[in-house]
Amino acid sequence: MQPKDVGGQSGYVNFAALLKPGIGNSEDDNPTIRWRDVGKKGDLRVELHYGDFKTGHGRQAALCLYKQDKPQAQYFVPLSEMWMYDHGESLAIMAPEIAKRLYGFVTKDDCYRVLDAVLDYLDDLRKSPPEPEFLKCSTLNAFLQSCDDEGLEFFAEKNGKRII
């Protein structure tokens, strides 16, 4: 029996597939929501984003790394993959691939800079709040206002008469 894809709906997560650097990093079919800037390390910027990174865990927070002069080349470290950056073996696999994605080539200094950026801001990722959409107001008044905004009419009937 073959293991299912990382992004499958079965709930199965193939952790070996997650060790492939760059999984879930296709920006074209995977737009993210930028939440805030968390810092920088050398010429690398680090931001907190929310999105579905095809890891099998749905929408979640992620660190977004990119070079200041080349923001289109990004690398995401999703919350569900955070554990991998705490193990030496996976760091040795990931760092050169991340550096290659961000810089186009790999040097020892770039690998260390990437590792420093990821490791320095993992705690910010761990402490990230839920996605902003989740925190939106969900009171009855907010619901009624959203109905008005969309041109919908919401009402309740009691004994054949409208009460709302």
Side-chain angles (χ1 to χ4, degrees), residues 15 17-18 20 38 49-50 65 77 90 94 97 99-100 102 107 111 113 118-119 122 127-128 147-148 150 156 163:
F15 290 105
L18 290 179
K20 295 177 185 168
V38 291
H49 283 230
Y50 290 91
L65 282 75
V77 178
S90 57
M94 304 295 263
E97 290 297 325
K100 184 177 180 183
L102 297 176
T107 68
C111 287
R113 190 175 312 110
V118 170
L119 294 175
L122 278 181
K127 293 177 181 177
S128 62
C147 287
D148 285 342
E150 294 181 26
I163 58 172

Side-chain angles (χ1 to χ4, degrees), residues 54-79:
K54 301 176 187 167
T55 63
H57 291 91
R59 293 188 65 80
Q60 60 185 307
L63 290 180
C64 175
L65 282 75
Y66 64 91
K67 277 183 62 179
Q68 291 178 14
D69 63 345
K70 198 167 120 181
Q72 67 277 12
Q74 301 174 339
Y75 188 85
F76 295 101
V77 178
L79 183 61

Side-chain angles (χ1 to χ4, degrees), residues 97-118:
E97 290 297 325
I98 298 170
K100 184 177 180 183
R101 180 177 179 90
L102 297 176
Y103 293 98
F105 54 89
V106 181
T107 68
K108 195 176 203 180
D109 289 339
D110 293 338
C111 287
Y112 283 124
R113 190 175 312 110
V114 164
L115 288 176
D116 284 345
V118 170

Side-chain angles (χ1 to χ4, degrees), residues 3-7 11-20 23 55-56:
K4 294 192 178 185
D5 189 21
V6 174
Y12 174 81
V13 177
N14 183 351
F15 290 105
L18 290 179
L19 287 173
K20 295 177 185 168
I23 189 164
T55 63

Side-chain angles (χ1 to χ4, degrees), residues 3-4 9 24 32-33 45 50 78-79 84 95 97 105 107 140 146 156 159 161-162 164:
K4 294 192 178 185
Q9 297 297 319
T32 63
I33 298 170
R45 298 291 310 167
Y50 290 91
L79 183 61
M84 293 191 314
E97 290 297 325
F105 54 89
T107 68
L140 177 59
S146 68
N159 297 329
K161 296 182 181 181
R162 286 188 182 187
I164 294 182

